[in-house]
Amino acid sequence: MDDVCEGKDFTFPKQEEKILDLWSQIDAFHTQLALTKDKPEYIFYDGPPFATGLPHYGHILAGTIKDIVTRYHSMTGHHVTRRFGWDCHGLPIENEIDKKLGIKKREDVLKLGIDKYNEECRSIVTRYVSEWETVITRTGRWIDFEDDYKTMDLKFMESVWWVFAQLYAKNLVYKGFKVMPYSTGCKTPLSNFEAGQNYKDVSDPEVFMTFPVLGDPHGASFVAWTTTPWTLPSNLALCVNANFIYVKVRNKYSGKVYIVAESRLSAIHNPKETPREAVVNSSNDVTKNTNAKTKGASGGKTENVLDSFEVLEKVSGASLVGIKYEPLFDYFKELSDTAFRVVADNYVTDDSGTGVVHCAPAFGEDDFRVCIDNQIINKDNLTVAVDDDGCFTEKITDFSGCYIKHADKDIVEAVKVKGRLFKCGAFTHSYPYCWRSDTPLIYRAVPSWFVRVELLKEQLLENNKQTYWVPDFVKEKRFHNWLENARDWAISRSRFWGTPLPIWISEDEKEIVVIDSIAKLEKLSGVKVFDLHRHNIDHITIKSDSGRVLRRVDDVFDCWFESGSMPYAYIHYPFENVELFEKNFPGHFVAEGLDQTRGWFYTLMVLATALFGKPAFRNLICNGLVLAEDGKKMSKSLKNYPSPMEVINDYGADALRLYLINSPVVRAEPFRFKKEGVYGVVRDVFLPWYNAYRFLVQNAKRLEIEGLAPFVPFDQATLLKSSNVLDQWINSATQSLVHFLRQEMDGYRLYTVVPYLLKFLDNLTNIYVRFNRKRLKGRSGEEDCRIALSTLYNVLLLSCKVMAPFTPFFTEVLYQNMRKVCNGSEESIHYCSFPTEEGKRGERIEQSVSRMMTIIDLARNIRERHNKPLKTPLREMVIVHPDADFLDDINGKLKEYVLEELNVRSLVPCNDTLKYASLRAEPEFSVLGKRLGKSMGIVAKEIKAMSQENILAFENAGEVTIANHCLKLTDIKVLRDFKRPDGMTEKDVDAAGDGDVLVILDLRPDESLFEAGAAREIVNRIQKLRKKVALEPTDMVEVYFESLDDDKSVSQRVLLSQESYIRDAIGTQLLPHSLLPAHAVVLGEERFHGIAGMSFGITLTRPALMFNVKAILSLFTGDAKRAHNLQTYLLSRDHSNLKSEFQNGNGKKIVDSIDQQPAVEVVLGEHVFLTVGDYYLARKSD
C-alpha cells in the first residue's frame, strides 16, 4: 500500500475528482453493467425532470436516494439498468416559448405556425442537458446519459399511443364537457392535482346582488353572494338548500323585501342603518363596505338583527324550487323558458353568503351539475362565454374581448346601475393559481377526453396495499386519501407541444379510429410517418370504411399521461423488450418527492391499474422538501442557499450525500439545509474513518521499514480464530454492521444508516485502534502485530464495501490502495459483492465491550468530579452487576484494557446489587399519567413505597399489580442509590451508575502508587513534545531524559521501577541525557518543572549511530585517523539505507569505498550500533 497523508492534508473534493478520472478510464459504470448482465433484473424507474432549469438540492437528494438503492442492488447480485429520462413536453416548455416570442393568445401561435412554434419548443428542451450531466456525475450518481430516454422521442410517443389505445379499447376513455381548473395564462385546462399545487391568499371582490321574484306580492328579491363578479353575466339559476328554512323579511328602514336563509339573515344586516337613513321604496338599495375582510362582510354582527327586519314569511327551501326571477343581464334571454329559476341542492351551505347561490353552469363544477340535473341546460346547448384566453366572447356584448378578472369592477358597476347591487366589499381567501404561469385559475367548462379513474377506485386502493412505501404514512394517509377521492382524469390539453391524441374522428363525431402504432397510421393513411408531433401529423387524414374522411382531434396529451406511461414507453413496449417488461413488471423501485403523490406516483398507479390490474412499482421512497437555512423555500432571487457545486467543491459529494440522507427529508419531512452540516459529516464521519485507515497503512509500511516481510493480510477464516478479545469483538461488530445494513437497505430505510455508522466508527477508532495501539505498532511481537493489522484491514475493507453505495468516492479511494496487498481483487470496489454475514455474531462480547465502555465513562466521570486526572493511579475499582457472564468478561479478558485505560491497580467484580446500592422505585408519570387518570395518585404512592425485595421481585418478573393495575418494566423507574461503606467519606470512595452497571472507585491516596503516577506524567510530556514537533506516530525517534533536580534519586527511582511501562508507552528506550551524541539531529527539547515533584528535560532526536571506538581501532591496528574516517563515512550515509544494507548482510557490511584505506568488515553490535538505544541495551546487558 502507498503512504497516505495526514487527515488535515487529505482534500476530499480533489480525491473525488481523481476517482471520477479513474471511473472514466476503466468505464466503471458500463463495466459494472457488463459484469452483472446475466444476473436477475432489478427494475428502477427514473422519473423524468425537465431540462429547462438547472438541478437543485431536491434533484440531488432524489438522485442520491436512487443511486444508493441501485448501487446496493447491483452489489447484491442484480443487473440494474439506469437510464436518465427527460420530460420534454407540456406547459413548462410552452410557457418559456410564449415568453420568448411574446405570445399572448392562441391565435398568435396559429399565426406563427404550429410547425415553427413546436420547433422552437424542441430547441430549448435540451438546453441544460450538459450542466445536468456535469452536476449529476459529480455527485457520484451512476446513470446512463448516452442511452437516455426523452418523452419527445418517436418510440416513446408511439408507446404512449399504445397505452391510450388500450384504455380506449377497455372503454376507460370518454369525451366529456366538464368544468375544470383552467389556466388563462397557459390557455389550457389543468388536472385536479395540478390545480392544487399553488394556492395563494388573495383579496377578491365580495358582491351581494338582488334577484327580484317575478309576480311576488311583496316585491321580494332573493339576495345571492359571489366572489367572482365576472361569472354574473352567465347566471342561469339560483340554488337553495331544500333542507334550510328561508325567511322573507322587510327592511324596517328601506322598506325593501328580501329572501335569504334564516341562519344567514345577519349577512344582509347593516348595523349602521338608522331610521334617518331609510329610503322607502328606493330603486337603488346599495350599502358600500369596501373595508370588509375575510367573510367579515358576509358575516356581520348577529345581535339585534331582527330589530332591523320584519319577518313576513318562513318557508322551507324545497318550497322555493321553481320560482322564476328577473335575470341580471339579457345575454341568455333565449333560455328564459328553462332558465332563471330556483333549484335546490345540498352543496349550498350556511357557513357564508346568504344561503342562496348564483349559478353560472359554465364556470362552476357544482353549478354545471345542478343545472344539467334540473334541465336548465343540456350539454349540447351550453354556451361558454369566455374564450381560451380568458376574455369574454361576443355573446357578452358589453364586455366582449375584456379579460374576465379585469372586468370585475365594470360588472359590479353595471349591476349597481341596474339597481341590483345590495352591497359589496373585499374577501380574503386561499385561491388556486397556475403552477406554471402564476396566473389565477378559473373554473371553466371545456370539452376534454377523460380516463374513467372513478371506475377504477376500488382496484387502485387495493393495488396501493400491495406496494411498500418509506415512510408508510404517506401511502396509508396522503396517497390513500388522494385515491379515495380520485376523479376522472382529463388527459387532453388544447395545446401544441406534446404527444398528440391518436384519435381520428369524423366531423359529426360518429366515427372514431384510435391509432395504437405508427404502422397502423401508415397503413390506414398511406402516409410515411417520421415524427408524431402535431405539425407532422395534423395534415394526415384517414378514410373510414363508410368513405368518410377522418381528421385528428386537435388536442395533445397532458404531460403527466406521458410520464405515467414511462414504464412502458422508455423501453418502447410492446414494440420491443416484451420479455424484459413482462418478466419484471411491476418495477422494483421508484423514488421522488412528496409532491409526486398527486403527480407521478398517481399517474403511474392509474395507468398500471387500468392496463394490467397491477401497481406500477413495488417499493417507493418518498422524500420531503429541502428548504433554505431560514426555513423558506430555496430561491435564486433571495440567494438564501449555497449552490450545490460550491458545497461539493468545499466538502465533497460524499459528505453532501450522507448529510442529505441522514436528515428528516428522507422520511418525507421538510428539512433546513445548512452548509455547516455538511462540514459536520466530514468532521464526524470521514476524518475518523480516514484516520483509522491511515493508522493501518502507516503500521503496515512500518513492517517494511523495519526490514520485515511486506504486509499481506491473513484471510477471514484465520482472523475469526483469533484469541484476542478485541479482535473477536470488532469482527463481531463488523458482522453486525453488515447484518444491520443489509436489513435496513432491504427495508429501504436509508435514514438509519449514518447513526449506526457513526457509532461503528467511534468504536473502531476509540476502542479497537486506541486499545490495540501496542499490538498494531508491533510491541507484542510480529505475529500478533500482523493479526491485529489484518483484523483492522479486514474491518476497514468490509466497512468500505457496505458503505460503497452511500459514499462511492471515499470507499473507492481507500479500496484502491488497500487492494494492492490483496491478489485477485476487483478493479473497483463497485464491482465487489455486498458482504454477507460470515460466522456467528458474538452478541455477548459486543454487549460486554459496550458495558466496558460505559464503565470507563462512569469511572472518568468520578475522576473528574474529584479532580483526579487519569495520570494519577488509583488503588481499586469495584464493578457491580447481577450478570455473572459479564463480570467474568470484565474480570477476565477485558480486565487489562479497563485497568490500563483508567490507571487503576485492581478490579473487584461484585454481583450482589444490594451490597453497594439501595433500590427505590419511581412512577414513570409521562407513561402512566394518561393511562391511569384519577388512579395515578394512589398508584404513585404505592410505587414509591415498594420495598427493596419487592423491587427486585418486580425486576425479575417483569411486571407487578398495584391497585388493580398491571404495571410493566416501562411503567416504573428503578433507581439505584450508592450505599457508601461504613467509615468512608465521599473523598475516600465514590460511585457512578447508569441504571445497569455501578462503578465504585477507591479515591484514597496511596504512596505506593507514586512512581506509577510519576511515570505517566513523564510519558505524557514526551507524547506532547512529539505532537509539538509534528511527528507522525510511525516516526522513529530517540528520547533522552535529564533530571534537573539537585536530588536526582527520586527520578532515578521512578525510571528504574517504571522502565518497562515507559518503554511500552513510548515505543523506545528512555535514554540518559549523558549518552546524547554530538552528531545526533535534535528534533525538539523542552524542560518541565514541578511535575510529580520533579524537574526534568526531554530531548527528541533522530536515531543516531553509536560507535565502539576500541573495536573500530582494532580494525585498523590502532590507526586513529583511519578509524575516524570510517566513522565519518558511516555518519554520512542515509540511516535507513545503512540499516537495510546491514539487514541484507545479516548484520555485516564490507566498507571498501574510502580512499586510501583497506576494505574492512563492519559488524553491527560489535563495531557500530544503529541507535543509541541499541548501544545502551548492549552495554546494560554486558
Side-chain angles (χ1 to χ4, degrees):
M1 291 185 285
D2 294 339
D3 277 322
V4 291
C5 63
E6 273 193 77
K8 61 184 176 66
D9 300 323
F10 185 87
T11 312
F12 290 92
K14 286 185 179 175
Q15 291 294 326
E16 289 181 352
E17 286 166 7
K18 289 180 182 177
I19 293 301
L20 284 173
D21 290 339
L22 169 71
W23 288 345
S24 178
Q25 289 165 21
I26 64 176
D27 196 12
F29 174 43
H30 291 106
T31 304
Q32 186 201 58
L33 290 173
L35 290 169
T36 57
K37 69 178 188 301
D38 298 324
K39 304 286 186 185
E41 292 290 336
Y42 180 85
I43 299 298
F44 153 67
Y45 298 146
D46 192 25
F50 286 100
T52 50
L54 292 170
H56 52 66
Y57 287 105
H59 296 117
I60 292 171
L61 166 65
T64 298
I65 293 169
K66 295 170 188 177
D67 190 54
I68 289 169
V69 172
T70 52
R71 281 181 182 276
Y72 170 74
H73 284 280
S74 289
M75 291 179 74
T76 53
H78 297 88
H79 181 252
V80 189
T81 301
R82 284 154 275 179
R83 293 172 59 199
F84 205 81
W86 302 103
D87 223 338
C88 304
H89 290 145
L91 292 182
I93 311 293
E94 291 197 22
N95 202 40
E96 291 225 14
I97 296 304
D98 288 351
K99 288 177 186 174
K100 176 184 174 183
L101 302 180
I103 287 171
K104 303 291 184 192
K105 297 185 178 182
R106 185 178 181 82
E107 286 71 29
D108 296 342
V109 177
L110 299 175
K111 282 179 191 172
L112 174 71
I114 296 174
D115 56 340
K116 291 185 177 66
Y117 182 82
N118 275 357
E119 291 306 326
E120 283 282 352
C121 289
R122 195 195 300 268
S123 72
I124 70 162
V125 163
T126 57
R127 181 196 295 163
Y128 296 119
V129 165
S130 62
E131 287 89 344
W132 271 81
E133 186 169 356
T134 299
V135 173
I136 298 302
T137 302
R138 183 61 189 85
T139 63
R141 187 177 177 194
W142 278 6
I143 193 158
D144 201 332
F145 282 97
E146 293 173 18
D147 187 27
D148 59 2
Y149 74 86
K150 298 183 183 71
T151 59
M152 67 179 184
D153 290 343
L154 182 66
K155 289 183 176 182
F156 193 99
M157 293 169 73
E158 184 178 24
S159 288
V160 173
W161 274 17
W162 174 84
V163 169
F164 176 80
Q166 299 307 298
L167 301 187
Y168 189 84
K170 290 172 180 274
N171 197 28
L172 290 173
V173 174
Y174 67 93
K175 185 182 182 185
F177 215 6
K178 193 168 183 178
V179 175
M180 296 178 60
Y182 185 88
S183 169
T184 58
C186 292
K187 303 159 193 64
T188 186
L190 302 180
S191 58
N192 285 325
F193 49 84
E194 289 176 298
Q197 290 186 353
N198 185 19
Y199 269 83
K200 296 185 179 186
D201 287 334
V202 295
S203 180
D204 274 326
E206 179 185 47
V207 184
F208 290 77
M209 308 76 56
T210 59
F211 292 85
V213 178
L214 297 181
D216 186 80
H218 299 103
S221 296
F222 289 104
V223 181
W225 170 73
T226 187
T227 58
T228 53
W230 62 268
T231 62
L232 291 174
S234 297
N235 170 265
L236 295 183
L238 296 176
C239 190
V240 297
N241 190 312
N243 301 311
F244 290 175
I245 298 298
Y246 286 78
V247 290
K248 182 190 285 189
V249 295
R250 177 182 282 115
N251 186 298
K252 293 179 180 179
Y253 308 115
S254 69
K256 292 290 186 181
V257 180
Y258 305 116
I259 300 172
V260 295
E262 183 179 31
S263 59
R264 296 303 304 166
L265 186 58
S266 61
I268 63 167
H269 170 56
N270 182 5
K272 294 182 179 179
E273 278 188 320
T274 65
R276 291 189 302 279
E277 291 177 320
V279 183
V280 181
N281 296 326
S282 167
S283 62
N284 188 10
D285 183 8
V286 177
T287 303
K288 273 264 183 184
N289 181 7
T290 54
N291 295 319
K293 296 285 178 191
T294 317
K295 296 191 183 178
S298 60
K301 294 180 181 178
T302 57
E303 67 269 20
N304 303 321
V305 168
L306 291 176
D307 291 349
S308 302
F309 298 105
E310 176 191 353
V311 178
L312 302 179
E313 282 182 46
K314 284 189 181 185
V315 296
S316 70
S319 68
L320 299 174
V321 172
I323 291 177
K324 300 279 284 185
Y325 63 86
E326 185 182 324
L328 264 179
F329 296 98
D330 295 331
Y331 305 127
F332 290 91
K333 59 187 176 185
E334 72 276 10
L335 298 178
S336 293
D337 290 345
T338 57
F340 311 119
R341 57 186 168 91
V342 177
V343 297
D345 193 87
N346 287 338
Y347 89 88
V348 178
T349 64
D350 62 355
D351 60 350
S352 60
T354 64
V356 181
V357 174
H358 124 76
C359 294
F363 306 112
E365 198 169 358
D366 287 315
D367 302 29
F368 180 77
R369 174 181 56 78
V370 167
C371 287
I372 291 287
D373 290 347
N374 288 278
Q375 291 84 47
I376 303 280
I377 56 161
N378 60 54
K379 291 182 180 180
D380 295 331
N381 73 352
L382 176 65
T383 301
V384 182
V386 173
D387 65 18
D388 290 348
D389 297 309
C391 299
F392 284 113
T393 64
E394 292 177 359
K395 176 78 173 170
I396 311 300
T397 52
D398 298 306
F399 306 105
S400 176
C402 184
Y403 180 63
I404 52 171
K405 286 298 215 179
H406 297 161
D408 274 345
K409 286 184 179 178
D410 292 337
I411 291 169
V412 171
E413 186 60 32
V415 173
K416 179 180 176 182
V417 168
K418 290 172 180 285
R420 303 280 291 275
L421 183 65
F422 181 80
K423 65 177 178 179
C424 64
F427 180 77
T428 301
H429 60 149
S430 185
Y431 194 83
Y433 272 60
C434 175
W435 63 287
R436 289 310 303 184
S437 63
D438 208 33
T439 53
L441 298 180
I442 64 170
Y443 281 80
R444 176 174 179 254
V446 290
S448 188
W449 294 86
F450 293 86
V451 173
R452 299 183 198 273
V453 177
E454 291 165 45
L455 203 63
L456 301 169
K457 185 186 297 183
E458 293 308 315
Q459 208 173 353
L460 286 168
L461 291 168
E462 186 56 38
N463 283 343
N464 187 38
K465 292 176 184 174
Q466 298 173 30
T467 60
Y468 174 80
W469 292 51
V470 173
D472 61 354
F473 74 82
V474 180
K475 166 191 166 180
E476 302 294 344
K477 294 183 179 176
R478 188 183 179 106
F479 195 61
H480 173 87
N481 293 343
W482 185 250
L483 294 177
E484 188 77 65
N485 297 295
R487 308 268 188 87
D488 285 355
W489 174 16
I491 57 169
S492 59
R493 298 288 181 268
S494 52
R495 297 300 298 167
F496 306 98
W497 177 242
T499 300
L501 264 62
I503 302 171
W504 269 256
I505 195 166
S506 61
E507 199 169 334
D508 61 4
E509 299 192 0
K510 295 277 176 64
E511 290 190 63
I512 294 178
V513 172
V514 173
I515 302 296
D516 63 1
S517 67
I518 293 169
K520 183 174 180 179
L521 178 58
E522 290 180 339
K523 181 181 177 183
L524 294 179
S525 68
V527 177
K528 187 69 179 168
V529 175
F530 60 90
D531 181 84
L532 292 182
H533 288 95
R534 281 193 61 177
H535 56 292
N536 289 316
I537 64 166
D538 278 2
H539 65 282
I540 296 176
T541 58
I542 293 173
K543 189 168 280 190
S544 72
D545 292 340
S546 65
R548 291 187 184 194
V549 174
L550 309 183
R551 289 183 168 79
R552 199 191 69 78
V553 298
D554 282 349
D555 292 353
V556 299
F557 280 107
D558 169 14
C559 61
W560 289 103
F561 189 91
E562 296 178 321
S563 53
S565 302
M566 173 265 166
Y568 331 105
Y570 90 112
I571 53 172
H572 198 213
Y573 178 83
F575 308 100
E576 297 179 65
N577 300 304
V578 174
E579 185 180 358
L580 171 67
F581 173 78
E582 292 179 357
K583 276 188 176 178
N584 297 286
F585 186 79
H588 294 91
F589 174 62
V590 295
E592 296 295 340
L594 189 61
D595 55 331
Q596 297 303 331
T597 50
R598 298 181 176 188
W600 192 48
F601 300 155
Y602 175 70
T603 60
L604 283 173
M605 183 68 83
V606 168
L607 293 182
T609 300
L611 291 171
F612 302 105
K614 299 178 182 179
F617 50 82
R618 305 178 208 191
N619 304 289
L620 183 152
I621 295 178
C622 185
N623 63 264
L625 187 64
V626 183
L627 303 172
E629 188 172 350
D630 57 10
K632 295 177 182 174
K633 208 171 177 181
M634 288 187 170
S635 164
K636 286 181 187 174
S637 58
L638 293 176
K639 295 180 180 175
N640 61 349
Y641 67 96
S643 80
M645 288 308 292
E646 174 192 324
V647 173
I648 290 171
N649 289 335
D650 284 352
Y651 302 125
D654 278 346
L656 177 58
R657 287 166 67 110
L658 278 197
Y659 175 64
L660 289 172
I661 67 143
N662 190 40
S663 71
V665 79
V666 189
R667 300 191 297 274
E669 297 171 24
F671 169 61
R672 296 186 180 195
F673 184 92
K674 297 178 182 177
K675 187 177 177 183
E676 299 76 35
V678 185
Y679 168 69
V681 173
V682 174
R683 180 192 62 225
D684 299 336
V685 178
F686 289 106
L687 285 175
W689 195 354
Y690 178 80
N691 287 334
Y693 156 74
R694 181 166 172 262
F695 192 77
L696 165 74
V697 175
Q698 286 177 325
N699 284 286
K701 295 293 286 182
R702 178 186 49 75
L703 294 174
E704 296 177 45
I705 292 169
E706 292 178 357
L708 303 172
F711 170 70
V712 176
F714 294 135
D715 61 75
Q716 174 75 349
T718 302
L719 295 178
L720 290 175
K721 295 172 186 172
S722 170
S723 60
N724 181 276
V725 62
L726 288 187
D727 287 352
Q728 295 167 6
W729 165 75
I730 197 64
N731 284 329
S732 177
T734 307
Q735 292 307 311
S736 292
L737 175 71
V738 171
H739 170 82
F740 179 81
L741 258 74
R742 273 190 172 269
Q743 169 187 288
E744 296 306 287
M745 285 303 297
D746 289 343
Y748 294 86
R749 292 180 293 272
L750 277 58
Y751 52 84
T752 62
V753 170
V754 175
Y756 196 96
L757 176 69
L758 275 171
K759 184 64 182 169
F760 177 81
L761 291 173
D762 184 56
N763 287 341
L764 179 63
T765 53
N766 290 325
I767 301 178
Y768 187 76
V769 172
R770 178 185 171 88
F771 289 9
N772 265 323
R773 282 184 179 275
K774 290 179 185 175
R775 293 177 68 219
L776 291 162
K777 289 182 174 182
R779 293 176 198 165
S780 59
E782 183 186 346
E783 183 68 13
D784 194 39
C785 170
R786 289 184 183 274
I787 290 172
L789 286 173
S790 296
T791 300
L792 180 56
Y793 175 92
N794 185 63
V795 168
L796 284 168
L797 186 62
L798 281 175
S799 60
C800 281
K801 286 179 181 178
V802 298
M803 285 303 296
F806 295 86
T807 55
F809 293 107
F810 185 70
T811 52
E812 187 77 277
V813 171
L814 271 56
Y815 177 79
Q816 288 301 325
N817 199 24
M818 292 170 72
R819 68 185 282 255
K820 292 172 182 173
V821 295
C822 190
N823 292 329
S825 60
E826 298 285 1
E827 193 174 15
S828 165
I829 195 168
H830 303 291
Y831 303 165
C832 297
S833 294
F834 198 87
T836 54
E837 286 182 71
E838 295 181 24
K840 288 185 179 179
R841 284 182 286 140
E843 291 182 10
R844 172 177 163 181
I845 192 60
E846 285 191 52
Q847 188 178 41
S848 289
V849 171
S850 176
R851 281 175 173 157
M852 176 184 79
M853 294 311 294
T854 302
I855 288 167
I856 289 169
D857 286 340
L858 291 170
R860 283 175 178 159
N861 290 341
I862 299 171
R863 278 182 170 277
E864 284 172 18
R865 278 206 304 268
H866 294 272
N867 197 23
K868 299 273 187 186
L870 276 171
K871 295 187 289 290
T872 303
L874 296 177
R875 181 189 303 169
E876 183 179 88
M877 71 186 299
V878 180
I879 309 296
V880 184
H881 197 276
D883 185 343
D885 285 342
F886 165 60
L887 291 178
D888 285 346
D889 288 343
I890 212 72
N891 195 38
K893 44 196 175 185
L894 294 173
K895 182 176 180 178
E896 63 171 299
Y897 300 110
V898 177
L899 295 179
E900 183 176 344
E901 184 66 17
L902 294 172
N903 195 14
V904 177
R905 286 296 163 263
S906 70
L907 184 153
V908 179
C910 174
N911 64 358
D912 180 359
T913 55
L914 297 182
K915 183 176 180 180
Y916 293 99
S918 58
L919 305 183
R920 60 188 171 91
E922 290 278 352
E924 286 282 9
F925 286 100
S926 60
V927 177
L928 293 174
K930 290 180 185 175
R931 202 167 87 214
L932 300 185
K934 292 179 180 177
S935 304
M936 186 68 217
I938 300 165
V939 173
K941 188 176 179 181
E942 290 200 31
I943 289 174
K944 291 178 179 178
M946 286 174 74
S947 67
Q948 302 216 97
E949 291 72 19
N950 287 341
I951 294 171
L952 285 173
F954 162 66
E955 285 191 314
N956 289 330
E959 63 181 41
V960 66
T961 300
I962 294 178
N964 297 321
H965 294 281
C966 182
L967 306 181
K968 304 288 185 184
L969 291 171
T970 51
D971 299 326
I972 298 176
K973 184 163 43 180
V974 176
L975 302 170
R976 287 172 163 79
D977 297 324
F978 175 49
K979 193 165 63 179
R980 193 168 281 105
D982 294 340
M984 296 282 191
T985 66
E986 188 181 354
K987 288 184 178 179
D988 296 334
V989 177
D990 203 0
D994 68 341
D996 176 45
V997 64
L998 184 68
V999 176
I1000 303 161
L1001 279 185
D1002 186 339
L1003 302 168
R1004 291 173 293 176
D1006 187 336
E1007 275 305 311
S1008 67
L1009 301 176
F1010 165 76
E1011 289 166 8
R1016 284 181 83 99
E1017 295 283 7
I1018 292 170
V1019 167
N1020 176 264
R1021 298 315 186 276
I1022 293 169
Q1023 303 294 28
K1024 284 182 175 176
L1025 183 56
R1026 281 186 67 103
K1027 260 187 185 174
K1028 188 175 178 180
V1029 298
L1031 289 173
E1032 294 290 332
T1034 51
D1035 286 341
M1036 299 295 290
V1037 295
E1038 298 203 275
V1039 187
Y1040 297 88
F1041 179 92
E1042 179 184 13
S1043 173
L1044 304 176
D1045 295 316
D1046 294 334
D1047 178 8
K1048 295 181 171 40
S1049 63
V1050 176
S1051 59
Q1052 285 172 355
R1053 197 169 69 246
V1054 170
L1055 297 183
L1056 193 62
S1057 68
Q1058 301 297 315
E1059 181 180 19
S1060 176
Y1061 162 73
I1062 294 172
R1063 184 172 61 247
D1064 285 347
I1066 67 174
T1068 185
Q1069 187 69 42
L1070 184 60
L1071 302 167
H1073 191 268
S1074 57
L1075 287 181
L1076 178 65
H1079 58 261
V1081 178
V1082 175
L1083 300 171
E1085 53 189 340
E1086 194 167 350
R1087 296 190 164 204
F1088 305 96
H1089 300 279
I1091 307 299
M1094 302 180 294
S1095 295
F1096 54 86
I1098 299 292
T1099 304
L1100 303 181
T1101 73
R1102 293 276 181 219
L1105 298 180
M1106 283 292 276
F1107 302 103
N1108 184 338
V1109 179
K1110 285 184 181 178
I1112 290 176
L1113 276 170
S1114 66
L1115 284 174
F1116 299 105
T1117 57
D1119 189 330
K1121 185 179 179 183
R1122 287 182 172 178
H1124 175 74
N1125 289 344
L1126 177 62
Q1127 291 176 55
T1128 302
Y1129 165 75
L1130 291 172
L1131 286 172
S1132 71
R1133 296 292 313 281
D1134 177 77
H1135 192 274
S1136 59
N1137 288 343
L1138 195 60
K1139 181 179 178 181
S1140 297
E1141 289 168 12
F1142 274 114
Q1143 285 170 341
N1144 294 334
N1146 292 319
K1148 297 178 180 179
K1149 173 177 172 57
I1150 303 294
V1151 178
D1152 58 0
S1153 54
I1154 302 174
D1155 286 345
Q1156 299 176 359
Q1157 283 197 194
V1160 292
E1161 183 181 68
V1162 179
V1163 179
L1164 199 61
E1166 182 182 337
H1167 304 108
V1168 67
F1169 298 86
L1170 287 173
T1171 67
V1172 178
D1174 292 345
Y1175 171 75
Y1176 173 80
L1177 290 174
R1179 197 176 71 173
K1180 190 176 177 185
S1181 64
D1182 290 343

